[in-house]
Amino acid sequence: MTLVAPLADVSSFLGRSHRLWIGGQWEDAADGRTFVTDNPATGNPLATVARAGAGDVDRAVRAARRAFDDGRWSAMAPSARSRIVWRIGDLILEHTEELAQLETLDNGKPLSVARAGDVPMAADLFHYMAGWVTKLEGNTLPVSLPGEFHAYTRREPVGVVGQIVPWNFPLALAAWKLAPALATGNCIVLKPAEDTPLTALRLAELIAEAGVPDGVLNVITGFGEDAGAALVAHDDVDKVSFTGSTEVGRSLVRAAAGNLKRLTLELGGKSPNIILEDADVEAAIRGAADGIFFNQGEACVAGSRLFVHRRIADDVVAGIADIARQMRLGDGMALDTEMGPVVSQTHQNRVSGYIRAGLEEGATLVAGDEGTPEGGWFVRPTVFSGVRPDMRIVREEIFGPVVSVTSFDDDDQAVAMANDTRYGLAAGIWGRDLSRVHRLAARIKAGTVWVNCYGVLDASMPFGGYKESGWGREHGHQVLSEYTETKSVCIQL
Ligand code: NAD
């Protein structure tokens, strides 16, 4: 296994002290606390990072508030703001290799995935949102009041926005939130996940280089229970956009009640992937394997419940198990690695606990006990068949490379099983009869339904969850309403 040597820029970045980005300056946490982020492929320390507390969060919120209130960003000519947002996308692309290496070292994912997926997707979000800056229009309103009136609406930024992201796509998910918030003129305090703080810090520098004024973006690294909780509870934060687990999302609803701040919640999933008997079976097997094993299964949309028509179920299970057994696990910095380690030892224990629970509850392990590389936090891609709907591996989000396969006999049964979950983030359908597929897509309670593909995301496609998978949508023009208030102005003539 040959590892790609880190770029000189990556090594020098890792060697720096990593502080909080507040008001356009690097600052230590007020109490001087730090934490260590490690490389999941080796377990070795990677960098030491400032650990923000409530006082630091308050400093960052005040910097964002000052920047918002003096209009240095929100009152900038839309064409100028648009060019800056576009330039962020360009700078991300210019630094693709550096950002991809940092992401792989901090998160563990294969470098090939970070290069082709995470970094271009982040750039794409800024390029897409740059186009909206000059198109945030209001309406003139046909009021029916007696007398003469001129009434219209304005779209205004919400104000100071707190953004909290998880560790599975650290750079890309930061971009999902930053691009629309910046495009609509908001000022931001971003908190990356404690497991993967590094690319957000580098992105802050690129955003400043693109021309975003000081104080518009602030980045506080730290833990959820102190920095994250303080941000959500802060009375001068107008909105929080959160991506993470449903459990933490639920606690945010309570914490946000103080000043009734707006909330966008992108939460967990337990997504069904349905293979009909007329599907292109080979493509469906490949797609279902990618749908669960991509990014070590650390994807909110992971197709973790696979439903296969009984007539083809044996072939599908055998096909996915083959792919699982042959998958090359290793350090993400090796170019032939197909699956990296999971993000941390804690998470490895959690995923392994689910695999044990599956065995204890009587599921059949078809693939997954072939052994893992030494050193890092690896979990083998795992396939269970013979599962029951009440098993924990079927009901709970594992957030690892573990799929459970169930067979069905007709469409009603497939829909009932697919919808038998508290989540509703995404779903897949594989089949050739498109009329049947359209009918099924309408009956599945999920924010995204992929047909004959899986996990495909685009900046133009609204993304978000039904049920306990969250509130609101990211991407597309729909996200603009998450970051703007609509004001009616009514003038008597
Ligand atoms: P998590 O909820 O533990 O943490 C997510 C973020 O929230 C981290 O930055 C963490 O520091 C912060 N946090 C934790 N406790 C907090 C608190 N009390 N107050 C404020 N912030 C707090 O989730 P995770 O384990 O890091 O990520 C995995 C989860 O994220 C999975 O459930 C996955 O489905 C979900 N996810 C959802 C989407 C989506 O778009 N729907 C995308 C990716 C991941």
Side-chain angles (χ1 to χ4, degrees), residues 164-168 173 176 191-194 223-224 228-229 232 242-245 248 251-252 266-269 300 397 399 425 463:
I164 300 176
V165 290
W167 43 259
N168 58 336
L173 292 180
W176 283 28
K191 196 200 83 62
E194 48 271 47
F223 284 66
V232 178
F242 171 81
T243 297
S245 60
V248 173
S251 78
L252 261 56
E266 295 285 358
L267 307 177
C300 50
E397 184 182 42
F399 218 57
L425 192 57
F463 180 88

PDB file of all heavy atoms in Angstrom, residues 164-168 173 176 191-194 223-224 228-229 232 242-245 248 251-252 266-269 300 397 399 425 463, ligand 1:
ATOM      1  N   ILE A 164     -24.023  24.489  12.504  1.00  0.00           N
ATOM      2  CA  ILE A 164     -23.345  23.375  13.188  1.00  0.00           C
ATOM      3  C   ILE A 164     -23.347  22.176  12.241  1.00  0.00           C
ATOM      4  O   ILE A 164     -24.410  21.787  11.733  1.00  0.00           O
ATOM      5  CB  ILE A 164     -24.074  23.032  14.504  1.00  0.00           C
ATOM      6  CG1 ILE A 164     -24.066  24.265  15.424  1.00  0.00           C
ATOM      7  CG2 ILE A 164     -23.426  21.837  15.191  1.00  0.00           C
ATOM      8  CD1 ILE A 164     -24.840  24.083  16.719  1.00  0.00           C
ATOM      9  N   VAL A 165     -22.168  21.625  11.992  1.00  0.00           N
ATOM     10  CA  VAL A 165     -22.075  20.524  11.020  1.00  0.00           C
ATOM     11  C   VAL A 165     -21.425  19.290  11.637  1.00  0.00           C
ATOM     12  O   VAL A 165     -20.666  19.397  12.602  1.00  0.00           O
ATOM     13  CB  VAL A 165     -21.300  20.959   9.743  1.00  0.00           C
ATOM     14  CG1 VAL A 165     -22.112  21.951   8.942  1.00  0.00           C
ATOM     15  CG2 VAL A 165     -19.933  21.542  10.074  1.00  0.00           C
ATOM     16  N   PRO A 166     -21.703  18.110  11.064  1.00  0.00           N
ATOM     17  CA  PRO A 166     -21.120  16.862  11.566  1.00  0.00           C
ATOM     18  C   PRO A 166     -19.800  16.549  10.859  1.00  0.00           C
ATOM     19  O   PRO A 166     -19.290  17.355  10.076  1.00  0.00           O
ATOM     20  CB  PRO A 166     -22.192  15.841  11.233  1.00  0.00           C
ATOM     21  CG  PRO A 166     -22.787  16.340   9.960  1.00  0.00           C
ATOM     22  CD  PRO A 166     -22.680  17.837   9.993  1.00  0.00           C
ATOM     23  N   TRP A 167     -19.287  15.353  11.107  1.00  0.00           N
ATOM     24  CA  TRP A 167     -17.924  15.017  10.667  1.00  0.00           C
ATOM     25  C   TRP A 167     -17.876  14.171   9.401  1.00  0.00           C
ATOM     26  O   TRP A 167     -16.805  13.813   8.946  1.00  0.00           O
ATOM     27  CB  TRP A 167     -17.200  14.259  11.791  1.00  0.00           C
ATOM     28  CG  TRP A 167     -18.061  13.214  12.460  1.00  0.00           C
ATOM     29  CD1 TRP A 167     -18.700  13.342  13.660  1.00  0.00           C
ATOM     30  CD2 TRP A 167     -18.419  11.919  11.966  1.00  0.00           C
ATOM     31  NE1 TRP A 167     -19.430  12.209  13.940  1.00  0.00           N
ATOM     32  CE2 TRP A 167     -19.266  11.321  12.910  1.00  0.00           C
ATOM     33  CE3 TRP A 167     -18.103  11.200  10.799  1.00  0.00           C
ATOM     34  CZ2 TRP A 167     -19.807  10.045  12.742  1.00  0.00           C
ATOM     35  CZ3 TRP A 167     -18.638   9.934  10.619  1.00  0.00           C
ATOM     36  CH2 TRP A 167     -19.476   9.369  11.586  1.00  0.00           C
ATOM     37  N   ASN A 168     -19.027  13.799   8.831  1.00  0.00           N
ATOM     38  CA  ASN A 168     -18.941  12.823   7.726  1.00  0.00           C
ATOM     39  C   ASN A 168     -18.560  13.447   6.382  1.00  0.00           C
ATOM     40  O   ASN A 168     -17.874  12.837   5.582  1.00  0.00           O
ATOM     41  CB  ASN A 168     -20.226  11.999   7.616  1.00  0.00           C
ATOM     42  CG  ASN A 168     -21.456  12.843   7.414  1.00  0.00           C
ATOM     43  OD1 ASN A 168     -21.492  14.021   7.780  1.00  0.00           O
ATOM     44  ND2 ASN A 168     -22.482  12.244   6.839  1.00  0.00           N
ATOM     45  N   LEU A 173     -20.428  19.792   3.815  1.00  0.00           N
ATOM     46  CA  LEU A 173     -21.616  20.204   4.577  1.00  0.00           C
ATOM     47  C   LEU A 173     -21.473  21.632   5.107  1.00  0.00           C
ATOM     48  O   LEU A 173     -22.468  22.354   5.240  1.00  0.00           O
ATOM     49  CB  LEU A 173     -21.903  19.220   5.712  1.00  0.00           C
ATOM     50  CG  LEU A 173     -22.364  17.836   5.230  1.00  0.00           C
ATOM     51  CD1 LEU A 173     -22.616  16.915   6.425  1.00  0.00           C
ATOM     52  CD2 LEU A 173     -23.613  17.919   4.373  1.00  0.00           C
ATOM     53  N   TRP A 176     -22.580  23.556   2.169  1.00  0.00           N
ATOM     54  CA  TRP A 176     -24.044  23.515   2.019  1.00  0.00           C
ATOM     55  C   TRP A 176     -24.681  24.649   2.804  1.00  0.00           C
ATOM     56  O   TRP A 176     -25.704  25.198   2.415  1.00  0.00           O
ATOM     57  CB  TRP A 176     -24.606  22.205   2.591  1.00  0.00           C
ATOM     58  CG  TRP A 176     -24.437  20.987   1.741  1.00  0.00           C
ATOM     59  CD1 TRP A 176     -23.459  20.740   0.826  1.00  0.00           C
ATOM     60  CD2 TRP A 176     -25.282  19.834   1.763  1.00  0.00           C
ATOM     61  NE1 TRP A 176     -23.639  19.495   0.291  1.00  0.00           N
ATOM     62  CE2 TRP A 176     -24.746  18.924   0.845  1.00  0.00           C
ATOM     63  CE3 TRP A 176     -26.425  19.493   2.487  1.00  0.00           C
ATOM     64  CZ2 TRP A 176     -25.325  17.681   0.608  1.00  0.00           C
ATOM     65  CZ3 TRP A 176     -27.006  18.245   2.263  1.00  0.00           C
ATOM     66  CH2 TRP A 176     -26.464  17.355   1.327  1.00  0.00           C
ATOM     67  N   LYS A 191     -19.751  26.195  13.565  1.00  0.00           N
ATOM     68  CA  LYS A 191     -19.042  25.256  14.441  1.00  0.00           C
ATOM     69  C   LYS A 191     -18.882  23.910  13.747  1.00  0.00           C
ATOM     70  O   LYS A 191     -19.840  23.164  13.580  1.00  0.00           O
ATOM     71  CB  LYS A 191     -19.773  25.037  15.774  1.00  0.00           C
ATOM     72  CG  LYS A 191     -18.819  24.386  16.781  1.00  0.00           C
ATOM     73  CD  LYS A 191     -19.497  23.688  17.927  1.00  0.00           C
ATOM     74  CE  LYS A 191     -19.953  22.287  17.613  1.00  0.00           C
ATOM     75  NZ  LYS A 191     -18.858  21.351  17.260  1.00  0.00           N
ATOM     76  N   PRO A 192     -17.644  23.589  13.327  1.00  0.00           N
ATOM     77  CA  PRO A 192     -17.425  22.261  12.748  1.00  0.00           C
ATOM     78  C   PRO A 192     -17.456  21.193  13.847  1.00  0.00           C
ATOM     79  O   PRO A 192     -17.420  21.502  15.038  1.00  0.00           O
ATOM     80  CB  PRO A 192     -16.023  22.366  12.133  1.00  0.00           C
ATOM     81  CG  PRO A 192     -15.369  23.538  12.782  1.00  0.00           C
ATOM     82  CD  PRO A 192     -16.436  24.424  13.350  1.00  0.00           C
ATOM     83  N   ALA A 193     -17.506  19.931  13.428  1.00  0.00           N
ATOM     84  CA  ALA A 193     -17.525  18.827  14.406  1.00  0.00           C
ATOM     85  C   ALA A 193     -16.149  18.686  15.062  1.00  0.00           C
ATOM     86  O   ALA A 193     -15.118  18.931  14.430  1.00  0.00           O
ATOM     87  CB  ALA A 193     -17.904  17.533  13.704  1.00  0.00           C
ATOM     88  N   GLU A 194     -16.149  18.269  16.303  1.00  0.00           N
ATOM     89  CA  GLU A 194     -14.887  18.150  17.040  1.00  0.00           C
ATOM     90  C   GLU A 194     -13.977  17.068  16.444  1.00  0.00           C
ATOM     91  O   GLU A 194     -12.756  17.133  16.610  1.00  0.00           O
ATOM     92  CB  GLU A 194     -15.143  17.873  18.532  1.00  0.00           C
ATOM     93  CG  GLU A 194     -16.150  16.770  18.849  1.00  0.00           C
ATOM     94  CD  GLU A 194     -17.599  17.298  18.956  1.00  0.00           C
ATOM     95  OE1 GLU A 194     -18.007  18.069  18.057  1.00  0.00           O
ATOM     96  OE2 GLU A 194     -18.279  16.926  19.927  1.00  0.00           O
ATOM     97  N   PHE A 223     -16.524  21.510  21.200  1.00  0.00           N
ATOM     98  CA  PHE A 223     -17.401  20.357  21.399  1.00  0.00           C
ATOM     99  C   PHE A 223     -18.864  20.774  21.395  1.00  0.00           C
ATOM    100  O   PHE A 223     -19.205  21.920  21.687  1.00  0.00           O
ATOM    101  CB  PHE A 223     -17.037  19.661  22.714  1.00  0.00           C
ATOM    102  CG  PHE A 223     -15.776  18.851  22.595  1.00  0.00           C
ATOM    103  CD1 PHE A 223     -14.561  19.483  22.367  1.00  0.00           C
ATOM    104  CD2 PHE A 223     -15.806  17.479  22.668  1.00  0.00           C
ATOM    105  CE1 PHE A 223     -13.392  18.746  22.223  1.00  0.00           C
ATOM    106  CE2 PHE A 223     -14.650  16.731  22.535  1.00  0.00           C
ATOM    107  CZ  PHE A 223     -13.442  17.359  22.316  1.00  0.00           C
ATOM    108  N   GLY A 224     -19.703  19.793  21.065  1.00  0.00           N
ATOM    109  CA  GLY A 224     -21.127  20.063  20.983  1.00  0.00           C
ATOM    110  C   GLY A 224     -21.718  20.517  22.295  1.00  0.00           C
ATOM    111  O   GLY A 224     -22.481  21.484  22.343  1.00  0.00           O
ATOM    112  N   GLY A 228     -21.245  24.152  20.980  1.00  0.00           N
ATOM    113  CA  GLY A 228     -22.468  24.000  20.184  1.00  0.00           C
ATOM    114  C   GLY A 228     -23.687  24.441  20.968  1.00  0.00           C
ATOM    115  O   GLY A 228     -24.517  25.228  20.485  1.00  0.00           O
ATOM    116  N   ALA A 229     -23.782  23.961  22.210  1.00  0.00           N
ATOM    117  CA  ALA A 229     -24.960  24.285  23.029  1.00  0.00           C
ATOM    118  C   ALA A 229     -25.019  25.790  23.291  1.00  0.00           C
ATOM    119  O   ALA A 229     -26.101  26.397  23.265  1.00  0.00           O
ATOM    120  CB  ALA A 229     -24.902  23.498  24.341  1.00  0.00           C
ATOM    121  N   VAL A 232     -26.394  27.600  20.232  1.00  0.00           N
ATOM    122  CA  VAL A 232     -27.835  27.416  20.026  1.00  0.00           C
ATOM    123  C   VAL A 232     -28.638  28.209  21.054  1.00  0.00           C
ATOM    124  O   VAL A 232     -29.724  28.725  20.758  1.00  0.00           O
ATOM    125  CB  VAL A 232     -28.200  25.911  20.097  1.00  0.00           C
ATOM    126  CG1 VAL A 232     -29.698  25.719  19.932  1.00  0.00           C
ATOM    127  CG2 VAL A 232     -27.457  25.142  19.023  1.00  0.00           C
ATOM    128  N   PHE A 242     -28.623  23.289  11.512  1.00  0.00           N
ATOM    129  CA  PHE A 242     -27.911  22.174  12.147  1.00  0.00           C
ATOM    130  C   PHE A 242     -27.980  20.943  11.261  1.00  0.00           C
ATOM    131  O   PHE A 242     -29.041  20.598  10.737  1.00  0.00           O
ATOM    132  CB  PHE A 242     -28.577  21.870  13.497  1.00  0.00           C
ATOM    133  CG  PHE A 242     -28.082  20.604  14.164  1.00  0.00           C
ATOM    134  CD1 PHE A 242     -26.899  20.593  14.878  1.00  0.00           C
ATOM    135  CD2 PHE A 242     -28.815  19.418  14.067  1.00  0.00           C
ATOM    136  CE1 PHE A 242     -26.444  19.427  15.495  1.00  0.00           C
ATOM    137  CE2 PHE A 242     -28.366  18.249  14.683  1.00  0.00           C
ATOM    138  CZ  PHE A 242     -27.174  18.264  15.397  1.00  0.00           C
ATOM    139  N   THR A 243     -26.851  20.272  11.092  1.00  0.00           N
ATOM    140  CA  THR A 243     -26.850  18.939  10.499  1.00  0.00           C
ATOM    141  C   THR A 243     -26.208  18.005  11.505  1.00  0.00           C
ATOM    142  O   THR A 243     -25.094  18.266  11.970  1.00  0.00           O
ATOM    143  CB  THR A 243     -26.074  18.909   9.168  1.00  0.00           C
ATOM    144  OG1 THR A 243     -26.730  19.768   8.243  1.00  0.00           O
ATOM    145  CG2 THR A 243     -26.046  17.510   8.576  1.00  0.00           C
ATOM    146  N   GLY A 244     -26.914  16.949  11.842  1.00  0.00           N
ATOM    147  CA  GLY A 244     -26.387  15.998  12.820  1.00  0.00           C
ATOM    148  C   GLY A 244     -27.457  14.988  13.189  1.00  0.00           C
ATOM    149  O   GLY A 244     -28.394  14.741  12.425  1.00  0.00           O
ATOM    150  N   SER A 245     -27.317  14.433  14.365  1.00  0.00           N
ATOM    151  CA  SER A 245     -28.202  13.332  14.746  1.00  0.00           C
ATOM    152  C   SER A 245     -29.584  13.840  15.170  1.00  0.00           C
ATOM    153  O   SER A 245     -29.734  14.978  15.616  1.00  0.00           O
ATOM    154  CB  SER A 245     -27.571  12.552  15.904  1.00  0.00           C
ATOM    155  OG  SER A 245     -27.394  13.414  17.006  1.00  0.00           O
ATOM    156  N   VAL A 248     -29.657  14.944  18.976  1.00  0.00           N
ATOM    157  CA  VAL A 248     -29.176  16.301  19.253  1.00  0.00           C
ATOM    158  C   VAL A 248     -30.141  17.321  18.639  1.00  0.00           C
ATOM    159  O   VAL A 248     -30.445  18.348  19.257  1.00  0.00           O
ATOM    160  CB  VAL A 248     -27.729  16.494  18.740  1.00  0.00           C
ATOM    161  CG1 VAL A 248     -27.301  17.953  18.882  1.00  0.00           C
ATOM    162  CG2 VAL A 248     -26.763  15.608  19.519  1.00  0.00           C
ATOM    163  N   SER A 251     -32.813  18.123  20.980  1.00  0.00           N
ATOM    164  CA  SER A 251     -32.398  18.991  22.096  1.00  0.00           C
ATOM    165  C   SER A 251     -32.282  20.439  21.617  1.00  0.00           C
ATOM    166  O   SER A 251     -32.504  21.375  22.386  1.00  0.00           O
ATOM    167  CB  SER A 251     -31.083  18.495  22.722  1.00  0.00           C
ATOM    168  OG  SER A 251     -29.982  18.871  21.912  1.00  0.00           O
ATOM    169  N   LEU A 252     -31.953  20.634  20.336  1.00  0.00           N
ATOM    170  CA  LEU A 252     -31.860  21.995  19.797  1.00  0.00           C
ATOM    171  C   LEU A 252     -33.226  22.683  19.756  1.00  0.00           C
ATOM    172  O   LEU A 252     -33.321  23.901  19.939  1.00  0.00           O
ATOM    173  CB  LEU A 252     -31.281  21.968  18.371  1.00  0.00           C
ATOM    174  CG  LEU A 252     -29.783  22.276  18.247  1.00  0.00           C
ATOM    175  CD1 LEU A 252     -28.946  21.354  19.098  1.00  0.00           C
ATOM    176  CD2 LEU A 252     -29.336  22.216  16.796  1.00  0.00           C
ATOM    177  N   GLU A 266     -31.210  19.169   9.641  1.00  0.00           N
ATOM    178  CA  GLU A 266     -30.939  18.059   8.709  1.00  0.00           C
ATOM    179  C   GLU A 266     -30.453  16.905   9.561  1.00  0.00           C
ATOM    180  O   GLU A 266     -29.316  16.919  10.034  1.00  0.00           O
ATOM    181  CB  GLU A 266     -29.860  18.460   7.694  1.00  0.00           C
ATOM    182  CG  GLU A 266     -30.261  19.580   6.758  1.00  0.00           C
ATOM    183  CD  GLU A 266     -31.223  19.139   5.676  1.00  0.00           C
ATOM    184  OE1 GLU A 266     -31.570  17.939   5.621  1.00  0.00           O
ATOM    185  OE2 GLU A 266     -31.642  20.003   4.895  1.00  0.00           O
ATOM    186  N   LEU A 267     -31.309  15.906   9.773  1.00  0.00           N
ATOM    187  CA  LEU A 267     -31.019  14.910  10.812  1.00  0.00           C
ATOM    188  C   LEU A 267     -30.761  13.518  10.223  1.00  0.00           C
ATOM    189  O   LEU A 267     -30.384  13.383   9.074  1.00  0.00           O
ATOM    190  CB  LEU A 267     -32.161  14.920  11.833  1.00  0.00           C
ATOM    191  CG  LEU A 267     -32.472  16.323  12.390  1.00  0.00           C
ATOM    192  CD1 LEU A 267     -33.660  16.278  13.338  1.00  0.00           C
ATOM    193  CD2 LEU A 267     -31.271  16.952  13.067  1.00  0.00           C
ATOM    194  N   GLY A 268     -30.981  12.526  11.031  1.00  0.00           N
ATOM    195  CA  GLY A 268     -30.586  11.173  10.661  1.00  0.00           C
ATOM    196  C   GLY A 268     -31.500  10.526   9.621  1.00  0.00           C
ATOM    197  O   GLY A 268     -32.499  11.102   9.192  1.00  0.00           O
ATOM    198  N   GLY A 269     -31.124   9.313   9.242  1.00  0.00           N
ATOM    199  CA  GLY A 269     -31.919   8.577   8.260  1.00  0.00           C
ATOM    200  C   GLY A 269     -31.776   7.077   8.460  1.00  0.00           C
ATOM    201  O   GLY A 269     -30.888   6.600   9.173  1.00  0.00           O
ATOM    202  N   CYS A 300     -25.791  10.298   5.782  1.00  0.00           N
ATOM    203  CA  CYS A 300     -27.140  10.379   6.343  1.00  0.00           C
ATOM    204  C   CYS A 300     -28.135   9.663   5.430  1.00  0.00           C
ATOM    205  O   CYS A 300     -29.150   9.163   5.893  1.00  0.00           O
ATOM    206  CB  CYS A 300     -27.539  11.833   6.535  1.00  0.00           C
ATOM    207  SG  CYS A 300     -27.270  12.813   5.046  1.00  0.00           S
ATOM    208  N   GLU A 397     -30.432   4.096  13.277  1.00  0.00           N
ATOM    209  CA  GLU A 397     -29.390   4.545  12.347  1.00  0.00           C
ATOM    210  C   GLU A 397     -28.030   4.070  12.860  1.00  0.00           C
ATOM    211  O   GLU A 397     -27.635   4.372  13.984  1.00  0.00           O
ATOM    212  CB  GLU A 397     -29.385   6.072  12.253  1.00  0.00           C
ATOM    213  CG  GLU A 397     -28.381   6.569  11.234  1.00  0.00           C
ATOM    214  CD  GLU A 397     -28.310   8.094  11.155  1.00  0.00           C
ATOM    215  OE1 GLU A 397     -28.330   8.735  12.210  1.00  0.00           O
ATOM    216  OE2 GLU A 397     -28.228   8.618  10.034  1.00  0.00           O
ATOM    217  N   PHE A 399     -25.046   4.364  10.894  1.00  0.00           N
ATOM    218  CA  PHE A 399     -24.076   5.331  10.373  1.00  0.00           C
ATOM    219  C   PHE A 399     -22.725   4.658  10.106  1.00  0.00           C
ATOM    220  O   PHE A 399     -21.658   5.217  10.334  1.00  0.00           O
ATOM    221  CB  PHE A 399     -23.910   6.513  11.340  1.00  0.00           C
ATOM    222  CG  PHE A 399     -23.754   7.822  10.616  1.00  0.00           C
ATOM    223  CD1 PHE A 399     -24.705   8.258   9.723  1.00  0.00           C
ATOM    224  CD2 PHE A 399     -22.634   8.623  10.825  1.00  0.00           C
ATOM    225  CE1 PHE A 399     -24.562   9.467   9.047  1.00  0.00           C
ATOM    226  CE2 PHE A 399     -22.473   9.824  10.156  1.00  0.00           C
ATOM    227  CZ  PHE A 399     -23.435  10.245   9.270  1.00  0.00           C
ATOM    228  N   LEU A 425     -35.581  10.524   5.181  1.00  0.00           N
ATOM    229  CA  LEU A 425     -34.626  11.393   4.485  1.00  0.00           C
ATOM    230  C   LEU A 425     -34.558  11.076   2.996  1.00  0.00           C
ATOM    231  O   LEU A 425     -34.655  11.967   2.156  1.00  0.00           O
ATOM    232  CB  LEU A 425     -33.238  11.257   5.135  1.00  0.00           C
ATOM    233  CG  LEU A 425     -32.213  12.301   4.717  1.00  0.00           C
ATOM    234  CD1 LEU A 425     -32.712  13.708   4.987  1.00  0.00           C
ATOM    235  CD2 LEU A 425     -30.890  12.072   5.441  1.00  0.00           C
ATOM    236  N   PHE A 463     -32.982  19.366  -0.675  1.00  0.00           N
ATOM    237  CA  PHE A 463     -32.568  18.202   0.091  1.00  0.00           C
ATOM    238  C   PHE A 463     -32.990  18.383   1.540  1.00  0.00           C
ATOM    239  O   PHE A 463     -32.730  19.423   2.140  1.00  0.00           O
ATOM    240  CB  PHE A 463     -31.044  18.051   0.013  1.00  0.00           C
ATOM    241  CG  PHE A 463     -30.523  16.866   0.785  1.00  0.00           C
ATOM    242  CD1 PHE A 463     -30.436  15.624   0.181  1.00  0.00           C
ATOM    243  CD2 PHE A 463     -30.163  16.993   2.112  1.00  0.00           C
ATOM    244  CE1 PHE A 463     -29.989  14.522   0.893  1.00  0.00           C
ATOM    245  CE2 PHE A 463     -29.719  15.889   2.842  1.00  0.00           C
ATOM    246  CZ  PHE A 463     -29.627  14.664   2.224  1.00  0.00           C
TER     247      PHE A 463
HETATM  248  P1  NAD B   1     -24.078  14.813  16.325  1.00  0.00           P
HETATM  249  O1  NAD B   1     -25.500  15.234  16.368  1.00  0.00           O
HETATM  250  O2  NAD B   1     -23.503  14.115  17.494  1.00  0.00           O
HETATM  251  O3  NAD B   1     -23.124  16.074  16.077  1.00  0.00           O
HETATM  252  C1  NAD B   1     -23.308  16.941  14.996  1.00  0.00           C
HETATM  253  C2  NAD B   1     -22.771  18.306  15.373  1.00  0.00           C
HETATM  254  O4  NAD B   1     -23.538  18.808  16.458  1.00  0.00           O
HETATM  255  C3  NAD B   1     -21.315  18.326  15.843  1.00  0.00           C
HETATM  256  O5  NAD B   1     -20.700  19.518  15.388  1.00  0.00           O
HETATM  257  C4  NAD B   1     -21.452  18.365  17.356  1.00  0.00           C
HETATM  258  O6  NAD B   1     -20.356  18.987  17.994  1.00  0.00           O
HETATM  259  C5  NAD B   1     -22.702  19.202  17.515  1.00  0.00           C
HETATM  260  N1  NAD B   1     -23.418  18.980  18.775  1.00  0.00           N
HETATM  261  C6  NAD B   1     -23.467  17.855  19.529  1.00  0.00           C
HETATM  262  N2  NAD B   1     -24.236  18.063  20.634  1.00  0.00           N
HETATM  263  C7  NAD B   1     -24.681  19.330  20.563  1.00  0.00           C
HETATM  264  C8  NAD B   1     -25.518  20.139  21.393  1.00  0.00           C
HETATM  265  N3  NAD B   1     -26.062  19.673  22.509  1.00  0.00           N
HETATM  266  N4  NAD B   1     -25.783  21.402  20.995  1.00  0.00           N
HETATM  267  C9  NAD B   1     -25.265  21.898  19.865  1.00  0.00           C
HETATM  268  N5  NAD B   1     -24.459  21.191  19.042  1.00  0.00           N
HETATM  269  C10 NAD B   1     -24.166  19.918  19.380  1.00  0.00           C
HETATM  270  O7  NAD B   1     -23.956  13.973  15.009  1.00  0.00           O
HETATM  271  P2  NAD B   1     -22.672  13.239  14.424  1.00  0.00           P
HETATM  272  O8  NAD B   1     -22.536  11.937  15.107  1.00  0.00           O
HETATM  273  O9  NAD B   1     -21.512  14.176  14.401  1.00  0.00           O
HETATM  274  O10 NAD B   1     -23.114  13.053  12.904  1.00  0.00           O
HETATM  275  C11 NAD B   1     -23.846  11.976  12.492  1.00  0.00           C
HETATM  276  C12 NAD B   1     -25.310  12.329  12.367  1.00  0.00           C
HETATM  277  O11 NAD B   1     -25.489  13.409  11.437  1.00  0.00           O
HETATM  278  C13 NAD B   1     -26.121  11.176  11.826  1.00  0.00           C
HETATM  279  O12 NAD B   1     -27.311  11.061  12.548  1.00  0.00           O
HETATM  280  C14 NAD B   1     -26.408  11.610  10.381  1.00  0.00           C
HETATM  281  O13 NAD B   1     -27.537  11.037   9.820  1.00  0.00           O
HETATM  282  C15 NAD B   1     -26.536  13.078  10.526  1.00  0.00           C
HETATM  283  N6  NAD B   1     -26.341  13.736   9.222  1.00  0.00           N
HETATM  284  C16 NAD B   1     -27.440  14.276   8.601  1.00  0.00           C
HETATM  285  C17 NAD B   1     -27.308  14.871   7.349  1.00  0.00           C
HETATM  286  C18 NAD B   1     -28.491  15.464   6.653  1.00  0.00           C
HETATM  287  O14 NAD B   1     -28.299  16.283   5.749  1.00  0.00           O
HETATM  288  N7  NAD B   1     -29.720  15.123   7.013  1.00  0.00           N
HETATM  289  C19 NAD B   1     -26.053  14.915   6.738  1.00  0.00           C
HETATM  290  C20 NAD B   1     -24.966  14.342   7.398  1.00  0.00           C
HETATM  291  C21 NAD B   1     -25.126  13.757   8.659  1.00  0.00           C
END
